[in-house]
């Protein structure tokens, strides 16, 4: 049966890189009999500035009822200072579709891409499970005596047993399914004695149910150090919303930069949203220079989620082959435009 995918290209380089990702999806459709029906939505800064609409009423219900997945570009525009539309669309969909897993692979595809001396593909290959619906992102709090010398701002973190348990379980289940030997919890429980201690207790309790999997723990500061010094020891890393946000950018740096990093916002079994980790890169927008690989690998993650594993693997192999051949954009020291780099991948998917 045909799968329905909503495509939201968004702002900045979003439309350009999503254009290439769609091109690659189409190549995969021909080669692997992938049956997708893509529907485009023009939500983003332009529409917000023109019509005052961010995430339209009924959008959440529409995706829940009629769609299998969403492929999004990036949101953010220098003209929208408070980033309201990005907040409503991206965080709105994450929260309101309850997409509690933010899956962010950190996988080196070619030795020449890492800034770490002497590291190879087997050294840098792990996945981050970022909690995606609570933590520091709930925006609970307030201000008091605003604008005075006595101003007070309170910004709370929320951690629920339910929320913590389901992301930790997802990380262990993934490790079991993908034969990864170790799951590492990252927190700051030495300082955040309530919220992060809940993570600790839940983690070690759930670990009992996965006796074949080795468990380990790092405080986030130490984790940042060890991701750089000793990246080969990680398999599956599970952490809260904010730490996952930060560590996934560090992970992207280890594998060649933000231009390559994919991500999935997932609620297993429900409509889920896939977006590259990079932002809108306003300085690059409209110039046909942005790297389409992050968006393309994101499309591959989406295809895998929709059950098209062969197509997903073929796209990843095509990306690796294009990188080996130097058929890449300037950020990776190639000379291709966005569209040419997309073509280089699409051709390899077709001729696999
Ligand atoms: C990300 C981004 C978002 C986040 C921003 C754009 C709200 O940095 O997807 O990592 O903080 O989650
Ligand atoms: Mn981020």
């Amino acid at each position: 049966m045909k799968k329905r995918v909503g495509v939201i290209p968004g702002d900045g380089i979003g439309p350009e890189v999503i254009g290439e990702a769609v091109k690659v999806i189409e190549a995969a459709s021909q080669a692997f009999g992938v049956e997708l029906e893509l529907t485009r939505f023009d939500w983003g800064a332009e529409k917000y500035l023109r019509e005052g609409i961010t995430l339209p009423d009924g959008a959440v219900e529409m995706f829940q009822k009629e769609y299998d997945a969403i492929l999004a570009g990036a949101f953010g525009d220098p003209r929208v200072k408070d980033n309201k539309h990005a907040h409503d669309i991206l965080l709105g969909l994450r929260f309101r579709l309850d997409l509690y897993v933010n899956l962010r692979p950190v996988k080196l595809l070619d030795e020449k891409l890492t800034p770490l001396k002497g590291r190879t593909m087997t050294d840098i290959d792990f996945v981050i499970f970022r909690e995606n619906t609570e933590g520091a992102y709930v925006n609970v709090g307030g201000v008091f005596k605003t604008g005075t010398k006595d101003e007070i701002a309170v910004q709370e973190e929320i951690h629920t047993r339910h929320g913590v348990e389901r992301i930790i379980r997802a990380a262990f289940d993934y490790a079991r399914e993908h034969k990864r030997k170790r799951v590492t919890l990252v927190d700051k429980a030495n300082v955040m004695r309530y919220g992060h201690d809940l993570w600790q207790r839940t983690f070690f309790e759930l670990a009992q149910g996965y006796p074949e999997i080795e468990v380990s723990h790092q405080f986030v500061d130490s984790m940042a150090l060890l991701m750089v010094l000793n990246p080969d020891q990680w398999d599956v890393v599970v952490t809260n919303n904010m730490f996952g946000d930060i560590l996934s950018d560090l992970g992207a740096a280890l594998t060649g930069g933000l231009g390559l990093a994919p991500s999935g916002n997932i609620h297993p079994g429900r409509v889920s949203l896939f977006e590259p980790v990079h932002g809108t890169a306003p300085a690059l927008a409209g110039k046909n220079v942005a790297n389409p690989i992050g968006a393309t690998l994101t499309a591959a993650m989406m295809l895998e989620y929709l059950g098209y594993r062969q197509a997903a693997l073929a796209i990843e192999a095509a990306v690796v082959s294009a990188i080996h051949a130097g058929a890449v954009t300037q950020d990776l020291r190639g000379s291709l435009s966005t569209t040419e780099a997309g073509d280089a991948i699409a051709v390899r998917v077709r001729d696999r």
Side-chain angles (χ1 to χ4, degrees), residues 19-298:
E20 298 315 302
V22 167
K23 194 192 273 177
V24 173
I25 290 175
E26 278 159 4
S29 301
Q30 289 164 16
F32 295 92
V34 171
E35 291 204 71
L36 299 186
E37 187 182 320
L38 306 181
T39 308
R40 237 163 228 282
F41 298 94
D42 65 349
W43 308 336
E46 278 304 328
K47 189 179 179 77
Y48 175 53
L49 291 169
R50 206 174 54 230
E51 301 169 29
I53 292 171
T54 55
L55 186 67
D57 287 343
V60 169
E61 296 72 20
M62 172 190 74
F63 284 137
Q64 280 167 333
K65 282 201 205 93
E66 299 166 26
Y67 283 79
D68 300 293
I70 303 162
L71 179 63
F75 304 93
D77 188 298
R79 293 169 298 171
V80 185
K81 291 278 174 274
D82 61 359
N83 219 18
K84 169 156 174 59
H85 69 297
H87 201 273
D88 287 2
I89 298 169
L90 184 60
L91 297 182
L93 288 172
R94 283 183 189 169
F95 279 75
R96 294 167 64 192
L97 292 173
D98 199 28
L99 306 174
Y100 65 92
V101 176
N102 193 331
L103 179 58
R104 297 191 155 179
V106 179
K107 185 174 180 188
L108 182 61
L109 298 179
D110 187 312
E111 278 172 42
K112 68 186 177 214
L113 295 177
T114 183
L116 300 184
K117 220 184 299 170
R119 290 297 181 182
T120 63
M121 269 97 87
T122 48
D123 292 331
I124 307 177
D125 181 9
F126 59 95
V127 290
I128 297 176
F129 274 71
R130 166 187 176 188
E131 201 293 319
N132 213 26
T133 53
E134 45 186 57
Y137 274 65
V138 292
N139 223 19
V140 168
V143 282
F144 181 47
K145 300 185 183 173
T146 314
T148 73
K149 278 205 303 259
D150 300 324
E151 179 159 0
I152 297 167
V154 176
Q155 185 98 42
E156 300 284 1
E157 283 193 16
I158 304 265
H159 304 277
T160 67
R161 175 80 198 199
H162 169 71
V164 170
E165 194 171 312
R166 65 184 181 172
I167 185 71
I168 291 173
R169 205 179 279 289
F172 276 113
D173 287 342
Y174 178 96
R176 178 171 274 171
E177 203 180 308
H178 292 80
K179 310 242 175 319
R180 296 280 195 158
K181 65 177 203 299
R182 185 181 216 201
V183 178
T184 303
L185 171 67
V186 175
D187 60 42
K188 191 69 186 171
N190 50 344
V191 174
M192 311 290 277
R193 291 302 303 142
Y194 307 114
H196 294 203
D197 188 60
L198 172 64
W199 280 78
Q200 293 251 342
R201 284 183 281 115
T202 309
F203 180 75
F204 289 107
E205 220 175 279
L206 288 181
Q208 307 282 321
Y210 302 83
E212 80 281 19
I213 294 168
E214 193 191 309
V215 290
S216 74
H217 170 263
Q218 287 295 331
F219 295 123
V220 66
D221 46 350
S222 154
M223 184 64 182
L225 176 102
L226 292 171
M227 272 175 64
V228 174
L229 289 187
N230 205 352
D232 54 324
Q233 61 183 304
W234 315 121
D235 278 327
V236 177
V237 172
V238 62
T239 191
N240 65 64
N241 209 338
M242 178 74 90
F243 293 173
D245 177 46
I246 299 167
L247 293 178
S248 60
D249 269 34
L250 177 56
L254 301 182
T255 57
L258 277 179
L260 296 143
S263 92
N265 301 270
I266 297 169
H267 187 128
R270 295 199 198 162
V271 59
S272 293
L273 171 109
F274 297 81
E275 38 136 12
V277 177
H278 65 67
T280 52
L284 306 183
K287 297 186 175 149
N288 200 18
V289 296
N291 189 346
I293 291 180
T296 302
L297 291 174
T298 296

